[in-house]
């Protein structure tokens, strides 16, 4: 079964069960076990051995990310205890006068936190929840805004963990190639357009509209779905907290994470997997391309934690006892997310998104290498394929790790069509990541908004699918125009994408008006 379509069966089982039963943990575990049984030839004991072997490999390889998550959990608790988050919420509550303003402020904050999607999800959620609750905005809508301004922002930010991960998959000056893909990333950029259009033009549809109306009319921001909505007890905030007690720590964390990327980029040795004493990069740009994103975030967040703890003690907004207590509280708050991430990584591992075990990577490579599709269709094909793989595996990083080298190998060079196809792959990976119930960022967006996870997936799907459909059409048009050169191709592509988007918005609003008058 290795290297065949059967490699995707574990993810299909996990996703279908999660959507039907709403039991994410059990569904993921069963998906992993089925994959292990397939690999073990039906031997249950060998399957269990394989299951825990894969889990130990994936958890061990992602230890820096887990450390980063735990530190983020601690920092979120500290932000709440300091009163900084509450002070910002109170300040925003006074300044923001409308529901649209609250949504726009949430989206704006999401765009400002571009270093990492994990940090984005947890920080934006904890800060903006009180504001959106005040305006009776459904938690599922808050989760969508958080999710839609996490990965899509990171995938177009040159200074982010995502930029570093993509650059590592590209030959030559990886970061510069990544920067050249940004204008062509229709899904990521159009998702941001969609978010701000929702804030100001109010064209909700589907279950999201039903949830938002229910929250507005009854005040029930959970829209009747409370299972798994709360992530823990409310933290007691210092009544003397100021807005600066939120802003300064956030800026410190961003600065330390960027510093961590530069540090590991200069001294991280990919051959040994260790920090070396000899610089591995010639300049800062190259350092970003060479850094280990997970290790950088773990180092940066740990340094930031010490600085922020010292700042809070000096300003006397959080005591030493409260800081030490935040360690266990922060860890507890992150346990559900870490557990799901462990399962999500494990299911990706047993499938072989990057080779090995059931070897889904080989299936993709073998079926694309001899493809007879016209080259102008490659951007759209890679966009759809990346979306499907990211949806099945729950990992956008694993997806572009598989597909980007294939795209570059098939098309070669760094021409417009190659850049366009790489960009489409990145956008497709983000799309699949958005609609997958086993995706890490989807999970963390639910946690940040304190929204039921499956409810977030169900309400977000139509919005992401609409943007993805427009992006797929735009990539077909762009593929046809690739020979005209990068600038002209980009202009034509975006003219088509925006025209389609405006047409969809007008259609949705017309249908809503017709239904209201019926």
């Amino acid at each position: 079964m290795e290297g065949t379509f059967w490699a995707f069966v574990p993810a299909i089982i996990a996703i279908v069960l999660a959507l039907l039963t709403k039991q994410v943990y059990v569904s993921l575990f069963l998906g992993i076990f089925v994959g292990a049984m397939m690999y073990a030839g039906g031997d249950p004991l060998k399957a269990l051995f394989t299951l825990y072997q894969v889990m130990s490999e994936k958890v061990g390889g992602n230890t820096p990310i887990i450390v980063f998550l735990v530190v983020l959990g601690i920092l979120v608790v500290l932000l709440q205890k300091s009163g900084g988050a509450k002070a910002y919420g109170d300040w925003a509550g006074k300044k923001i006068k409308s529901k649209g303003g609250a949504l726009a402020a949430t989206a704006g904050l999401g765009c400002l936190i571009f270093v990492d999607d994990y940090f984005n999800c947890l920080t934006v959620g904890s800060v903006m929840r009180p504001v959106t609750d005040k305006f009776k905005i459904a938690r599922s809508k808050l989760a969508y805004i958080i999710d839609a301004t996490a990965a899509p922002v990171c995938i177009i930010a040159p200074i982010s963990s995502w930029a570093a991960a993509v650059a590592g998959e590209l030959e030559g000056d990886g970061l510069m190639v990544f920067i050249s893909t940004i204008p062509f990333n229709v899904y990521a950029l159009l998702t941001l357009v969609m978010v701000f259009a929702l804030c100001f033009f109010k064209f909700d549809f589907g279950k999201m509209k039903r949830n938002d109306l229910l929250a507005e009319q009854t005040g029930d921001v959970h829209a009747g779905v409370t299972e798994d909505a709360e992530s823990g007890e409310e933290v007691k905030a210092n009544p003397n907290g100021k807005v600066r007690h939120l802003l300064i720590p956030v800026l410190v964390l961003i600065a330390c994470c960027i510093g961590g990327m530069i540090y590991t980029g200069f001294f991280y040795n990919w051959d040994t997997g260790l920090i070396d004493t000899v610089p591995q990069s010639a300049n800062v740009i190259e350092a970003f391309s060479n850094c280990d994103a997970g290790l950088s975030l773990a180092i940066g967040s740990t340094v930031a934690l010490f600085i922020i703890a010292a700042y809070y003690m000096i300003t006397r907004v959080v005591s030493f006892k409260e800081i030490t207590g935040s360690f266990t509280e922060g860890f507890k708050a992150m346990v559900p997310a870490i557990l799901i991430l462990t399962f999500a990584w494990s299911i990706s591992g047993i499938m072989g998104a990057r080779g090995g075990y059931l070897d889904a990577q080989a299936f993709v490579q073998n079926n694309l290498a001899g493809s007879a599709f016209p080259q102008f269709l490659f951007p759209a094909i890679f966009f759809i394929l990346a979306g499907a793989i990211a949806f099945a595996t729950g990992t956008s990083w694993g997806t572009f790790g598989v597909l980007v080298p294939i795209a570059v190998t098939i098309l070669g060079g760094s021409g417009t069509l190659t850049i366009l196809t790489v960009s489409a792959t990145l956008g497709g990976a983000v799309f699949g990541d958005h609609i997958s119930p086993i995706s890490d960022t989807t999970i963390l967006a639910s946690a940040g908004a304190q929204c039921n996870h499956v409810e977030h997936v169900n309400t977000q799907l139509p919005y992401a699918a609409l943007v993805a459909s427009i992006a797929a059409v735009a990539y077909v048009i762009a593929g046809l125009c690739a020979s005209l050169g990068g600038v002209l191709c980009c202009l034509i592509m975006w003219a088509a994408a925006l025209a389609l988007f405006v047409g969809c918005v007008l259609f949705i609003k017309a249908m809503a008006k017709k239904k209201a008058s019926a």
Side-chain angles (χ1 to χ4, degrees):
M1 293 183 184
E2 289 86 350
T4 68
F5 180 76
W6 289 100
F8 292 93
V9 168
I12 294 170
I13 289 172
I15 289 166
V16 170
L17 285 176
L19 293 174
L20 290 177
T21 66
K22 303 189 187 325
Q23 299 299 319
V24 180
Y25 304 113
V26 175
S27 301
L28 283 170
F29 185 84
L30 288 175
I32 301 165
F33 185 70
V34 167
M37 284 286 283
M38 291 166 63
Y39 182 75
D43 184 336
L45 289 178
K46 188 177 178 183
L48 280 174
F49 173 81
T50 302
L51 185 154
Y52 290 116
Q53 184 178 36
V54 172
M55 197 172 288
S56 64
E57 289 171 1
K58 301 305 289 185
V59 171
N62 286 292
T63 297
I65 294 294
I66 293 175
V67 170
F68 177 59
L69 283 176
V70 172
V71 173
L72 281 185
I74 296 167
L75 287 173
V76 168
V77 172
L78 284 175
L79 290 175
Q80 293 172 336
K81 285 186 176 181
S82 72
K86 184 178 183 302
Y88 180 86
D90 293 341
W91 173 83
K94 293 175 184 176
K95 298 293 181 181
I96 297 169
K97 303 299 181 183
S98 67
K99 184 175 178 179
L103 290 170
T106 304
L109 184 60
C111 291
L112 287 174
I113 302 176
F114 54 82
V115 172
D116 183 74
D117 53 326
Y118 289 8
F119 177 49
N120 181 305
C121 291
L122 296 174
T123 304
V124 176
S126 64
V127 170
M128 295 307 297
R129 266 198 318 270
V131 180
T132 55
D133 284 355
K134 175 184 174 182
F135 287 96
K136 299 179 181 179
I137 295 169
R139 289 287 177 86
S140 56
K141 193 164 188 178
L142 173 61
Y144 169 69
I145 300 292
I146 292 170
D147 211 347
T149 55
V153 170
C154 293
I155 201 65
I156 58 171
I159 302 175
S160 70
S161 56
W162 285 60
V166 175
E169 303 294 343
L170 296 164
E171 294 182 359
D173 195 342
L175 189 61
M176 295 310 296
V177 176
F178 168 77
I179 291 171
S180 68
T181 68
I182 294 172
F184 293 100
N185 201 325
V186 181
Y187 180 79
L189 292 167
L190 198 59
T191 294
L192 299 179
V193 173
M194 174 86 161
V195 167
F196 285 101
L198 279 172
C199 296
F200 297 114
F201 300 119
K202 301 177 183 177
F203 61 97
D204 287 307
F205 56 93
K207 196 175 182 183
M208 186 78 81
K209 184 174 183 178
R210 171 257 182 196
N211 284 5
D212 216 35
L213 283 172
L214 190 62
E216 197 172 89
Q217 293 168 359
T218 67
D220 179 10
V221 293
H222 296 295
V225 183
T226 56
E227 184 186 359
D228 297 333
E230 299 296 337
S231 65
E233 297 177 3
E234 196 67 30
V235 176
K236 186 177 180 181
N238 186 334
N240 299 318
K242 307 294 182 185
V243 174
R244 64 175 178 271
H245 295 137
L246 169 74
L247 295 180
I248 291 175
V250 168
L251 292 173
V252 166
L253 181 59
I254 291 173
C256 288
C257 287
I258 293 173
M261 289 179 184
I262 295 172
Y263 175 75
T264 62
F266 271 117
F267 299 108
Y268 185 75
N269 189 322
W270 286 96
D271 294 327
T272 63
L274 300 170
I275 296 294
D276 212 336
T277 55
V278 179
Q280 303 291 315
S281 304
N283 51 56
V284 173
I285 299 296
E286 190 177 317
F288 274 110
S289 299
N290 292 340
C291 78
D292 180 296
L295 188 61
S296 303
L297 294 171
I299 292 172
S301 60
T302 303
V303 172
L305 177 60
F306 284 109
I307 295 172
I308 292 165
Y311 168 68
Y312 281 156
M313 284 192 290
I314 291 168
T315 55
R316 298 186 177 182
V317 292
V318 183
S319 67
F320 178 75
K321 185 177 180 181
E322 288 175 318
I323 289 171
T324 54
S326 298
F327 280 65
T328 52
E329 293 172 46
F331 184 83
K332 278 171 58 181
M334 295 308 299
V335 165
I338 291 171
L339 184 58
I340 297 180
L341 281 176
T342 299
F343 287 155
W345 288 330
S346 299
I347 205 167
S348 174
I350 197 69
M351 287 170 59
R354 287 176 175 262
Y357 292 97
L358 298 179
D359 209 355
Q361 182 183 31
F363 172 77
V364 174
Q365 288 175 327
N366 293 338
N367 283 273
L368 275 180
S371 173
F373 288 108
Q375 285 200 343
F376 79 87
L377 287 176
F378 267 67
I381 290 170
F382 271 78
F383 176 78
I384 295 168
L385 191 59
I389 294 173
F391 173 76
T393 61
T395 168
S396 47
W397 286 25
T399 298
F400 57 64
V402 171
L403 291 183
V404 166
I406 295 173
V408 174
T409 301
I410 293 174
L411 296 170
S414 57
T416 301
L417 190 62
T418 302
I419 297 297
L420 189 58
T421 305
V422 170
S423 184
T425 303
L426 301 180
V430 173
F431 165 58
D433 186 87
H434 264 170
I435 61 174
S436 176
I438 60 174
S439 156
D440 46 7
T441 47
T442 308
I443 293 160
L444 290 173
S446 304
Q450 291 188 3
C451 169
N452 177 273
H453 179 57
V454 176
E455 186 73 2
H456 168 46
V457 174
N458 289 338
T459 52
Q460 177 164 267
L461 176 58
Y463 288 64
L466 173 63
V467 176
S469 300
I470 295 171
V473 174
Y475 281 128
V476 173
I477 296 169
L480 288 167
C481 301
S483 60
L484 300 175
V487 176
L488 194 55
C489 173
C490 189
L491 289 173
I492 294 171
M493 178 187 74
W494 273 107
L498 292 174
L500 286 168
F501 180 74
V502 171
C504 289
V505 171
L506 294 175
F507 176 76
I508 291 167
K509 288 184 77 69
M511 291 301 292
K513 189 176 180 180
K514 183 178 178 181
K515 187 176 180 180
S517 61

